[in-house]
Amino acid sequence: MPRENWSSRIGIILAVAGSAVGLGNFLRFPVQAAQNGGGAFMIPYIIALLLLGIPLCWVEWTMGRAAGGRGHGSGPGILNVFWSHRFSRYFGSLGIFIPLMIYFYYVYIESWCLAYAWYAISGSLGAAATAGEAKNFLTAFQGLADNQWFSGISSAYLFFLITFVINFLVIYRGVVKGIETISKIAMPILVVLGVVIMFRVLTLGAPDPARPEWSLTGGLGFMWNPDFSALTDAKVWLSAAGQIFFTTSVGLGLIITYASYLKENDDVALSGLSSISINEFMEVVIGASIAIPAAFIFFGPDGIKEVAEGGAFNLGFVTMPMIFDQMPMTALLGFIWFFLLFLAGVTSSISMLQPAIAFLEDEFGFIRKQSVSFLGLFTFIAAQPAIFFLDKGVLDMMDFWAGTFAIVLFATGEVIIFGWVYGIDKGFDQLHHGADIKVPRIFKFIIKYVTPSYLIIILSYWFYQDGIDNLLLRKVSDENFPYALATMLGMVIFLAGIVAAVEIAWRKKDRKS
Amino acid sequence: MTAGGWIMIALSWSFIIGLSVFCMKRVIGLKNSQADHIKPIYEIDTGDLGDSEKKKNK
C-alpha cells in the first residue's frame, strides 16, 4: 500500500503544532513559571528551547523524512534506517510505547474538557461557584463521590466514549483527509478562542473597587516579576527543561512519524521551526496571559499562591470555572475555555495514535481498516484502568514512566544515533536538504555535544530524584500497592510485546528478502 | 508589576512573536519548488532492508 504524503506545507506545520499545543500550554506552563521564579523562569526556559527543543525538533523532522522515503513511519523502522543494528529497532519501540501509554490516560482527561464545555454552556457548571463546590463537582464527575451533581461514572464515561470515537474517526480518514484536515480547521479556531479569552482577561482591570491591588497588572506581576535568586536552584533549570519537553512534543515518537509522511525534497528546517514557534506563541503569549493573571484578579496575592500550588489540573478544572462564574457571560466564557482545551487535546491525542497505525501499516502491511480496528479495540481496553482506578495511583505511575522518564530516554537515544552513530556531518546535510533556511553551524556542535549531555543530566536527575522510589514503589500507599504493581507489570509486558512485534515484523521481512 | 517584570514580558514576547513572524513570513512567502535545489540528499547506506532492496533493483 503506498504511503500517504501531506498535501501542503501548512498542513504538516499545523499538524505538528497541533500535536504540541495541548493542555500543558494553558495549564502547566503558567503554573511552572509562577512556581519557579516568575519572569526569571524564562531564562532557563528559552535556553532549554534553544539547546533541547529546537535541536531535537530538527533531528526528529530530519530522521522522519528520511525514513519515510524508505517506507518506515514509526520508531523502530526510523531509528533502524540511521543505525542498522537490531538494538536500534528494539529501542525504537519506545516510539510506539510512549504515545500509546500517554493516550491511555490522556484521552480520558481530554474528554473532561468536552464534558466541562457542555456543562458550562448548559449552566450546570455555574452552580459550582465556590472552591469546595467546584472540587465536589469534579470528583463526583470522575465517579469518585456521589452528590447533587453526579452519581456514578456514567456521565464521564459517556464523554469518554464520544471523545474516543472522535479520535478514531479522524485517524480512520487518514493522514491527509483526517489529521491534516482537522489540524487546518482546529488550529485557527484554537488561536481565535485563545485570543478571545486572553483579550477578556487583559481587559478585566481591577473589578473589585474595594481591592484595587487585585488587578491585571498585579496578576501579570505575579507571573512575570523575576526572582533571579531562583536561578541558583537546579530544580528550576530542570523544570524549564521538562516544560520544553512536554510542550514541544519531542521525544514522544510523534514528530518522527508525522515527518515520515513528507516528500523527499520537502523542507524540514523551516517547517520544524515554524511548528515550534506556533506552539511557543500559544504557550508564552496566550497561555501565560489567561489562567494565572485571571486567578490573581479574583483571588488576590494570597489566594493565587494556593492556586499555583494546587497544580495545573486544579487550575483548569476547579479555579477557572470559579473565575468565569464571577464574570459576565459565564456560560459562554466557560464553554470557550473548555472547548479550547478540548481542541488542543484532540489535535494532540490523534498524533499519539499515528505511530502505532504507521507501525501496523508499514511493517505488517495492514490496510487502514485493519490497523484502526485493531488499535481501536486495544486502546479502548487499555484505557479502562485510568478511568476506573483513577484514585489508585494508576495514572501517576503511567505518567511518570511513559510521560516523563521514557520521553527523555527516547530523545537521548535519538540524538545520539543522529549525532554520533549516523554522524553529525551527514545528519546536518540531511537537515539542509530542501531547506528554506540555513541552520546556523553552531547547532552542529549543540546537537552533537550539548543536547545529549543536557539530556543525560536531566535523565540522571529524574531517575535519582523520583525514579528509584517509583521503581521500588516506595511512595505508593499499602492500599494502592496492588494497582501500582499491576500497572508497572502491565507496562513492562506491553513494551515487551511491542519489541516482540518488531522482531516478528523484521523476521518476516528477512524471510521475504 | 515591577520594571523587571515588564522587561521580562517584553523580551520573552518579542523573541516568541519575532520567531513566529519570521517563520510565517518565510512559509507563506516561499513556493515549494524554490526549496528543491539547495543540496543533494546523502545516500544513507546503513544496510537497512529498504536500501538493500534498492541496490538489488539497481
Side-chain angles (χ1 to χ4, degrees):
Chain A
M1 195 173 66
R3 300 188 89 243
E4 282 186 275
N5 289 120
W6 299 100
S7 71
S8 64
R9 179 211 286 258
I10 200 73
I12 165 97
I13 291 173
L14 290 179
V16 174
S19 162
V21 176
L23 274 59
N25 292 58
F26 303 97
L27 300 176
R28 195 176 188 277
F29 172 74
V31 169
Q32 286 289 315
Q35 285 176 345
N36 291 293
F41 180 74
M42 290 310 293
I43 294 171
Y45 179 87
I46 298 282
I47 290 173
L49 178 68
L50 294 172
L51 300 183
L52 292 177
I54 292 174
L56 281 168
C57 170
W58 277 329
V59 166
E60 293 199 350
W61 276 74
T62 306
M63 291 178 102
R65 180 188 60 176
R70 289 160 173 77
H72 300 291
S74 56
I78 292 172
L79 294 195
N80 200 226
V81 165
F82 283 80
W83 183 26
S84 59
H85 195 281
R86 65 168 54 196
F87 176 74
S88 68
R89 299 197 290 266
Y90 302 149
F91 184 77
S93 301
L94 285 174
I96 301 166
F97 170 79
I98 295 167
L100 282 184
M101 283 304 301
I102 297 174
Y103 183 82
F104 297 154
Y105 59 85
Y106 193 90
V107 65
Y108 185 44
I109 297 165
E110 181 188 326
S111 73
W112 300 353
C113 302
L114 181 64
Y116 266 60
W118 167 252
Y119 292 131
I121 202 73
S122 64
S124 319
L125 192 57
T130 66
E133 285 171 340
K135 270 184 192 161
N136 288 341
F137 188 95
L138 179 62
T139 48
F141 169 71
Q142 292 166 336
L144 304 176
D146 287 343
N147 56 31
Q148 70 269 39
W149 287 293
F150 301 101
S151 176
I153 202 170
S154 54
S155 302
Y157 206 80
L158 175 68
F159 282 100
F160 161 73
L161 288 176
I162 295 169
T163 308
F164 191 87
V165 169
I166 289 171
N167 275 281
F168 273 89
L169 281 177
V170 174
I171 286 295
Y172 182 68
R173 289 178 63 80
V175 172
V176 176
K177 286 183 182 167
I179 297 170
E180 188 170 341
T181 304
I182 195 85
S183 301
K184 281 178 174 172
I185 297 168
M187 286 305 289
I189 296 174
L190 195 65
V191 174
V192 170
L193 295 183
V195 170
V196 167
I197 294 270
M198 177 184 164
F199 181 76
R200 185 67 197 98
V201 172
L202 294 183
T203 53
L204 278 171
D208 187 351
R211 287 180 284 213
E213 72 280 9
W214 292 22
S215 64
L216 174 70
T217 48
L220 289 173
F222 182 78
M223 179 82 204
W224 289 97
N225 285 345
D227 170 15
F228 290 110
S229 65
L231 297 181
T232 56
D233 187 350
K235 276 186 185 171
V236 172
W237 290 81
L238 288 158
S239 299
Q243 180 59 27
I244 285 297
F245 256 95
F246 291 119
T247 193
T248 54
S249 278
V250 292
L252 287 161
L254 312 179
I255 295 176
I256 49 173
T257 292
Y258 272 9
S260 76
Y261 296 101
L262 285 166
K263 296 186 194 88
E264 192 184 33
N265 291 324
D266 283 344
D267 157 86
V268 292
L270 178 60
S271 300
L273 195 62
S274 302
S275 65
I276 286 239
S277 73
I278 294 173
N279 176 66
E280 290 307 312
F281 180 80
M282 294 302 289
E283 178 155 299
V284 177
V285 179
I286 295 181
S289 306
I290 299 177
I292 290 285
F296 185 95
I297 291 168
F298 290 102
F299 299 109
D302 295 326
I304 188 70
K305 285 177 190 153
E306 201 182 317
V307 168
E309 281 162 13
F313 279 119
N314 194 57
L315 179 65
F317 293 95
V318 175
T319 310
M320 288 306 283
M322 292 159 59
I323 291 167
F324 293 131
D325 196 57
Q326 296 179 58
M327 292 184 188
M329 297 188 293
T330 301
L332 183 64
L333 284 172
F335 171 79
I336 291 175
W337 168 251
F338 286 110
F339 195 66
L340 164 93
L341 293 184
F342 175 67
L343 283 181
V346 169
T347 50
S348 299
S349 62
I350 54 174
S351 69
M352 295 170 195
L353 296 170
Q354 193 58 32
I357 293 282
F359 177 67
L360 294 171
E361 292 180 357
D362 297 336
E363 315 303 351
F364 281 101
F366 278 32
I367 59 169
R368 176 61 43 83
K369 205 173 177 181
Q370 289 172 323
S371 60
V372 171
S373 308
F374 177 81
L375 193 67
L377 184 65
F378 180 74
T379 51
F380 182 78
I381 295 167
Q384 304 307 309
I387 300 172
F388 289 100
F389 306 126
L390 184 69
D391 59 339
K392 308 292 183 194
V394 169
L395 198 150
D396 294 337
M397 187 63 77
M398 289 157 82
D399 189 49
F400 176 78
W401 286 111
T404 307
F405 189 77
I407 293 176
V408 187
L409 183 66
F410 187 57
T412 309
E414 279 178 330
V415 79
I416 289 173
I417 289 174
F418 185 83
W420 289 84
V421 180
Y422 180 60
I424 190 65
D425 291 332
K426 285 197 288 177
F428 215 63
D429 281 335
Q430 280 276 5
L431 168 61
H432 277 99
H433 173 70
D436 287 331
I437 53 168
K438 192 167 175 5
V439 176
R441 288 183 66 81
I442 183 75
F443 277 97
K444 264 176 114 166
F445 177 79
I446 291 172
I447 291 171
K448 184 159 185 181
Y449 299 103
V450 182
T451 308
S453 310
Y454 207 148
L455 289 169
I456 289 167
I457 291 169
I458 296 171
L459 204 57
S460 310
Y461 183 82
W462 276 353
F463 191 73
Y464 170 75
Q465 190 189 37
D466 294 319
I468 297 167
D469 284 344
N470 270 299
L471 195 64
L472 302 174
L473 304 177
R474 278 180 190 156
K475 286 181 182 170
V476 178
S477 66
D478 290 346
E479 189 199 342
N480 290 347
F481 189 83
Y483 299 95
L485 188 64
T487 307
M488 186 93 101
L489 285 174
M491 284 192 289
V492 171
I493 292 167
F494 179 44
L495 182 58
I498 297 173
V499 171
V502 168
E503 183 61 28
I504 291 166
W506 259 260
R507 279 191 185 179
K508 265 175 77 178
K509 285 183 182 194
D510 283 344
R511 273 202 297 271
K512 270 188 190 171
S513 64
Chain B
M1 180 125 117
T2 62
W6 286 113
I7 291 169
M8 290 313 293
I9 199 171
L11 289 175
S12 305
W13 282 25
S14 302
F15 176 72
I16 300 297
I17 293 172
L19 183 66
S20 305
V21 170
F22 166 78
C23 290
M24 284 305 114
K25 219 174 144 186
R26 293 297 298 259
V27 167
I28 294 165
L30 278 173
K31 288 176 187 166
N32 282 336
S33 58
Q34 285 177 268
D36 289 344
H37 64 279
I38 296 181
K39 274 189 180 182
I41 195 161
Y42 250 88
E43 277 297 319
I44 307 175
D45 188 4
T46 59
D48 173 68
L49 185 66
D51 288 319
S52 312
E53 280 175 356
K54 266 187 190 173
K55 279 179 189 169
K56 271 182 199 170
N57 292 337
K58 278 179 188 173

